[in-house]
């Protein structure tokens, strides 16, 4: 799925993105939705990357989410009871215990991208799209146009920290854009108080890691390669400096080996990875729906690196320096980004991060 995102960042993305500024949160004005409290504080207006406005006269009551990421955010915000359907549903047991049962009760409109006709006929008044315009292939037709969304009575907004990544004017090195998304979703859904709690928790966790690794100079921090196993092994997909993963890696006290790549994703060659010779490799696999299935995927990714002639000589491979952390929590905006920062740091700086 994500391999298509980098190629799809076109003008079609400008259709109601959350918060302000693309990327690291420093490219725009103050968030127009920030500070809105509950439904009594509506109307709430949010802007897209071009400054176009989407206004909510009241909190939405029937929400469809594009995938597990936006669904999880709504569940965490306490707006999960408003979700009437989702695409790319989370596998049973893949979300934290307190969220899993509620996630499993949400109607699955598609195991992948929601077909156009089903989305427009869902009865939703809001569709939250984690990514920019995507080719809804596999015989499912094209993505709805903004005119079609409007005719169906559906407001269409995106998680801006992900959808606007490729258009960011500067590298993303912090989670402020993710926090802006959470703040904006809280304003739109009337759950601002809970949004503030989530953002505060993320900041506290990340600040603790920053303090723990601060004594290590930039030039001495370990180099790090995110191996997107599911994007294919023939030609690796690198996460570049506009992707939220770059922020996660940087905040954890590591150096993304493809931080010199402007954009969100870029296909590179294994010769490029070999030239970087990373100290650590994250085995980034997408959630398979169970711990056993995930472990199998991690094992497959590791075995491929260890047996492929082009990669078995890499420093990280020879020394067995692998991290088994899922793709979604690293590359898609969410509260778990902060958890991933902490998890990476604990591995790279044993004993220093609590």
């Amino acid at each position: 799925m994500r391999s298509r995102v980098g190629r799809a960042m076109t003008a079609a993305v400008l259709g109601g993105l959350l918060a302000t500024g693309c990327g690291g949160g420093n490219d725009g004005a103050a968030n127009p939705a920030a500070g809105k409290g509950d439904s009594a504080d509506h109307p709430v207006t949010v802007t897209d990357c071009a400054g176009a406005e989407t206004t909510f006269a009241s909190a939405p009551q029937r929400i469809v989410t594009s995938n597990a990421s936006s669904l999880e955010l709504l569940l965490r915000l306490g707006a999960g009871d408003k979700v009437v359907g989702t695409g790319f549903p989370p596998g049973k047991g893949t979300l934290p215990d307190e969220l899993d049962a509620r996630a499993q009760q949400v109607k699955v409109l598609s195991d992948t991208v929601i077909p156009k006709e089903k989305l427009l006929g869902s009865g939703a008044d809001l569709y939250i799209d984690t990514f920019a315009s995507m080719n809804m292939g596999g015989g499912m037709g094209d993505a709805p146009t903004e005119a079609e969304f409007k005719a169906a009575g559906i407001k269409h907004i995106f998680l801006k920290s992900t959808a606007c990544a490729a258009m960011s004017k500067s590298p993303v090195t912090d989670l402020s854009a993710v926090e802006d998304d959470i703040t904006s979703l809280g304003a739109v859904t009337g759950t601002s108080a809970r949004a503030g709690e989530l953002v505060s928790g993320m900041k506290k966790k990340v600040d603790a890691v920053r303090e723990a690794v601060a004594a290590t100079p930039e030039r001495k921090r370990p180099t790090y390669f995110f191996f997107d196993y599911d994007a294919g092994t023939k030609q690796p997909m690198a996460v570049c400096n506009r992707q939220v993963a770059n922020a996660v890696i940087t905040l954890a006290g590591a150096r993304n080996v493809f931080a010199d790549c402007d954009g969100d994703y870029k296909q590179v060659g294994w010769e490029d990875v070999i030239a970087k010779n990373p100290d650590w490799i994250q085995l980034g696999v997408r959630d398979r729906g169970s711990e056993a299935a995930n472990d199998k995927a991690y094992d497959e990714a590791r075995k491929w690196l260890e047996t492929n002639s082009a990669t078995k000589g890499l420093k990280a491979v020879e020394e067995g320096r692998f991290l088994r952390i899922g793709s979604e929590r690293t590359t898609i905006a969410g509260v778990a980004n902060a958890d991933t920062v902490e998890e990476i740091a604990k591995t790279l700086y044993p004993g220093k991060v609590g």
Side-chain angles (χ1 to χ4, degrees):
M1 174 177 63
R2 290 193 321 280
S3 61
R4 290 177 287 172
V5 175
R7 298 193 298 272
M9 294 294 183
T10 66
V13 71
L14 307 178
L17 307 179
L18 292 175
T20 61
C22 300
N26 300 315
D27 296 330
N31 181 355
K36 301 290 185 180
D38 53 34
S39 295
D41 291 318
H42 284 70
V44 169
T45 297
V46 294
T47 60
D48 69 13
C49 291
E53 297 181 341
T54 298
T55 298
F56 293 82
S58 60
Q61 298 300 306
R62 294 177 60 80
I63 305 172
V64 169
T65 55
S66 64
N67 72 349
S69 175
S70 45
L71 170 59
E72 180 179 352
L73 279 180
L74 290 176
L75 290 171
R76 288 182 181 275
L77 285 168
D81 60 329
K82 308 299 184 185
V83 182
V84 298
T86 191
F88 287 103
K92 184 175 176 57
T94 59
L95 293 183
D97 292 341
E98 67 273 17
L99 303 178
D100 182 56
R102 284 179 283 161
Q104 299 308 313
Q105 293 173 1
V106 173
K107 183 178 181 180
V108 176
L109 299 180
S110 174
D111 287 329
T112 57
V113 179
I114 302 172
K116 174 180 176 177
E117 292 76 14
K118 184 172 286 189
L119 176 56
L120 293 175
S122 64
D125 56 9
L126 172 62
Y127 176 57
I128 302 175
D129 201 341
T130 303
F131 296 115
S133 177
M134 291 174 59
N135 178 0
M136 300 173 78
M140 293 184 286
D142 297 326
T145 65
E146 291 308 316
E148 288 172 326
F149 274 120
K150 185 175 181 179
I154 303 174
K155 293 184 185 296
H156 180 204
I157 59 179
F158 293 78
L159 290 186
K160 199 171 180 184
S161 54
T162 300
C164 291
M167 294 181 286
S168 176
K169 297 176 182 177
S170 60
V172 180
T173 57
D174 61 38
L175 298 180
S176 59
V178 177
E179 293 161 359
D180 284 348
D181 274 345
I182 295 171
T183 299
S184 290
L185 272 182
V188 167
T189 59
T191 57
S192 283
R194 178 57 179 157
E197 294 173 358
L198 293 176
V199 169
S200 178
M202 291 174 66
K203 288 180 180 293
K204 183 178 180 180
K205 190 164 292 187
V206 170
D207 286 347
V209 172
R210 277 176 163 167
E211 183 177 350
V213 305
T216 304
E218 176 71 21
R219 68 182 183 280
K220 292 187 177 180
R221 295 188 175 190
T223 55
Y224 195 96
F225 172 54
F226 178 87
F227 174 37
D228 192 343
Y229 180 62
D230 293 297
T233 56
K234 184 176 181 180
Q235 190 174 10
M237 183 69 69
V239 290
C240 300
N241 61 25
R242 303 313 201 248
Q243 223 286 324
V244 67
N246 186 69
V248 170
I249 294 167
T250 301
L251 291 169
R255 290 179 290 158
N256 176 15
V257 294
F258 288 104
D260 56 350
C261 164
D262 293 334
D264 54 355
Y265 295 97
K266 180 182 179 181
Q267 283 192 319
V268 296
W270 283 113
E271 64 275 11
D272 299 309
V273 178
I274 293 169
K276 304 288 187 180
N277 199 18
D279 296 314
W280 291 88
I281 296 177
Q282 179 176 333
L283 305 175
V285 303
R286 297 169 198 167
D287 190 82
R288 278 9 185 212
S290 71
E291 184 176 353
N294 289 340
D295 284 341
K296 181 180 179 181
Y298 287 129
D299 291 342
E300 290 172 354
R302 176 170 181 160
K303 183 177 180 180
W304 190 91
L305 290 169
E306 290 175 334
T307 58
N308 183 270
S309 59
T311 58
K312 63 183 181 181
L314 290 171
K315 181 195 308 181
V317 176
E318 290 185 333
E319 297 179 2
R321 293 186 172 185
F322 300 107
L323 293 89
R324 298 160 73 100
I325 303 175
S327 293
E328 291 89 345
R329 57 182 295 183
T330 310
T331 63
I332 300 178
V335 175
N337 293 153
D339 299 329
T340 305
V341 169
E342 183 180 65
E343 186 171 350
I344 293 173
K346 283 183 176 180
T347 301
L348 275 54
Y349 296 88
K352 290 187 177 182
V353 180

